[in-house]
mmCIF file of all heavy atoms in Angstrom:
data_model
loop_
_atom_site.group_PDB
_atom_site.id
_atom_site.type_symbol
_atom_site.label_atom_id
_atom_site.label_comp_id
_atom_site.label_asym_id
_atom_site.label_seq_id
_atom_site.Cartn_x
_atom_site.Cartn_y
_atom_site.Cartn_z
ATOM 1 N N GLY H 44 10.311 -6.537 19.312
ATOM 2 C CA GLY H 44 8.931 -7.018 19.146
ATOM 3 C C GLY H 44 8.456 -6.989 17.705
ATOM 4 O O GLY H 44 7.415 -7.554 17.386
ATOM 5 N N PHE H 45 9.204 -6.306 16.832
ATOM 6 C CA PHE H 45 8.828 -6.296 15.421
ATOM 7 C C PHE H 45 9.540 -7.423 14.677
ATOM 8 O O PHE H 45 10.364 -8.136 15.243
ATOM 9 C CB PHE H 45 9.190 -4.937 14.786
ATOM 10 C CG PHE H 45 8.246 -3.840 15.175
ATOM 11 C CD1 PHE H 45 8.473 -3.068 16.313
ATOM 12 C CD2 PHE H 45 7.116 -3.569 14.414
ATOM 13 C CE1 PHE H 45 7.595 -2.049 16.682
ATOM 14 C CE2 PHE H 45 6.234 -2.562 14.762
ATOM 15 C CZ PHE H 45 6.471 -1.803 15.904
ATOM 16 N N HIS H 46 9.220 -7.544 13.386
ATOM 17 C CA HIS H 46 9.834 -8.561 12.532
ATOM 18 C C HIS H 46 10.444 -7.863 11.323
ATOM 19 O O HIS H 46 9.777 -7.032 10.694
ATOM 20 C CB HIS H 46 8.785 -9.549 12.028
ATOM 21 C CG HIS H 46 8.118 -10.319 13.127
ATOM 22 N ND1 HIS H 46 7.221 -9.749 13.998
ATOM 23 C CD2 HIS H 46 8.245 -11.621 13.495
ATOM 24 C CE1 HIS H 46 6.811 -10.658 14.871
ATOM 25 N NE2 HIS H 46 7.409 -11.803 14.593
ATOM 26 N N LEU H 48 11.299 -7.601 7.548
ATOM 27 C CA LEU H 48 10.641 -8.220 6.403
ATOM 28 C C LEU H 48 11.158 -7.656 5.094
ATOM 29 O O LEU H 48 11.884 -6.652 5.065
ATOM 30 C CB LEU H 48 9.108 -8.084 6.515
ATOM 31 C CG LEU H 48 8.488 -6.731 6.809
ATOM 32 C CD1 LEU H 48 8.284 -5.959 5.534
ATOM 33 C CD2 LEU H 48 7.156 -6.932 7.511
ATOM 34 N N VAL H 182 3.435 6.428 12.653
ATOM 35 C CA VAL H 182 2.001 6.097 12.657
ATOM 36 C C VAL H 182 1.784 4.600 12.405
ATOM 37 O O VAL H 182 0.908 3.983 12.995
ATOM 38 C CB VAL H 182 1.239 6.969 11.622
ATOM 39 C CG1 VAL H 182 -0.228 6.571 11.534
ATOM 40 C CG2 VAL H 182 1.362 8.453 11.975
ATOM 41 N N GLY H 183 2.604 3.996 11.545
ATOM 42 C CA GLY H 183 2.468 2.547 11.297
ATOM 43 C C GLY H 183 3.490 2.075 10.271
ATOM 44 O O GLY H 183 3.964 2.854 9.446
ATOM 45 N N SER H 184 3.801 0.775 10.325
ATOM 46 C CA SER H 184 4.862 0.233 9.457
ATOM 47 C C SER H 184 4.510 0.333 7.980
ATOM 48 O O SER H 184 5.405 0.451 7.143
ATOM 49 C CB SER H 184 5.125 -1.235 9.812
ATOM 50 O OG SER H 184 5.522 -1.335 11.158
ATOM 51 N N ARG H 200 11.049 -3.039 9.249
ATOM 52 C CA ARG H 200 9.723 -3.541 9.673
ATOM 53 C C ARG H 200 8.659 -3.184 8.642
ATOM 54 O O ARG H 200 7.458 -3.254 8.926
ATOM 55 C CB ARG H 200 9.377 -3.047 11.079
ATOM 56 C CG ARG H 200 9.337 -1.544 11.242
ATOM 57 C CD ARG H 200 9.037 -1.131 12.682
ATOM 58 N NE ARG H 200 9.184 0.303 12.864
ATOM 59 C CZ ARG H 200 8.200 1.182 12.683
ATOM 60 N NH1 ARG H 200 7.013 0.790 12.308
ATOM 61 N NH2 ARG H 200 8.429 2.474 12.878
ATOM 62 N N GLY H 201 9.089 -2.786 7.441
ATOM 63 C CA GLY H 201 8.164 -2.456 6.350
ATOM 64 C C GLY H 201 8.109 -0.951 6.106
ATOM 65 O O GLY H 201 7.575 -0.504 5.097
ATOM 66 N N THR H 226 -3.766 -9.363 12.688
ATOM 67 C CA THR H 226 -2.341 -9.287 12.324
ATOM 68 C C THR H 226 -1.441 -9.665 13.510
ATOM 69 O O THR H 226 -0.517 -10.480 13.344
ATOM 70 C CB THR H 226 -2.000 -7.889 11.783
ATOM 71 O OG1 THR H 226 -2.854 -7.632 10.666
ATOM 72 C CG2 THR H 226 -0.546 -7.779 11.338
ATOM 73 N N PHE H 230 1.267 -12.752 13.494
ATOM 74 C CA PHE H 230 2.683 -12.633 13.842
ATOM 75 C C PHE H 230 3.036 -13.601 14.980
ATOM 76 O O PHE H 230 4.118 -14.199 14.970
ATOM 77 C CB PHE H 230 3.038 -11.193 14.255
ATOM 78 C CG PHE H 230 3.432 -10.314 13.084
ATOM 79 C CD1 PHE H 230 2.692 -9.198 12.743
ATOM 80 C CD2 PHE H 230 4.564 -10.600 12.313
ATOM 81 C CE1 PHE H 230 3.055 -8.383 11.677
ATOM 82 C CE2 PHE H 230 4.937 -9.797 11.252
ATOM 83 C CZ PHE H 230 4.175 -8.681 10.929
HETATM 84 O O1 C5P W 415 3.632 -0.740 12.813
HETATM 85 P P1 C5P W 415 2.272 -1.307 12.978
HETATM 86 O O2 C5P W 415 1.383 -0.447 13.837
HETATM 87 O O3 C5P W 415 1.633 -1.593 11.680
HETATM 88 O O4 C5P W 415 2.428 -2.685 13.712
HETATM 89 C C1 C5P W 415 1.368 -3.312 14.385
HETATM 90 C C2 C5P W 415 1.903 -4.548 15.106
HETATM 91 O O5 C5P W 415 2.265 -5.543 14.144
HETATM 92 C C3 C5P W 415 3.172 -4.284 15.910
HETATM 93 O O6 C5P W 415 2.881 -3.942 17.223
HETATM 94 C C4 C5P W 415 3.889 -5.623 15.855
HETATM 95 O O7 C5P W 415 3.388 -6.479 16.835
HETATM 96 C C5 C5P W 415 3.470 -6.177 14.529
HETATM 97 N N1 C5P W 415 4.497 -5.981 13.478
HETATM 98 C C6 C5P W 415 5.624 -6.776 13.504
HETATM 99 N N2 C5P W 415 6.570 -6.649 12.533
HETATM 100 C C7 C5P W 415 6.420 -5.754 11.547
HETATM 101 C C8 C5P W 415 5.276 -4.924 11.494
HETATM 102 C C9 C5P W 415 4.323 -5.065 12.488
HETATM 103 O O8 C5P W 415 5.776 -7.616 14.396
HETATM 104 N N3 C5P W 415 7.361 -5.677 10.597
#
Side-chain angles (χ1 to χ4, degrees):
F45 284 89
H46 298 72
L48 50 86
V182 175
S184 300
R200 59 182 172 89
T226 303
F230 272 118

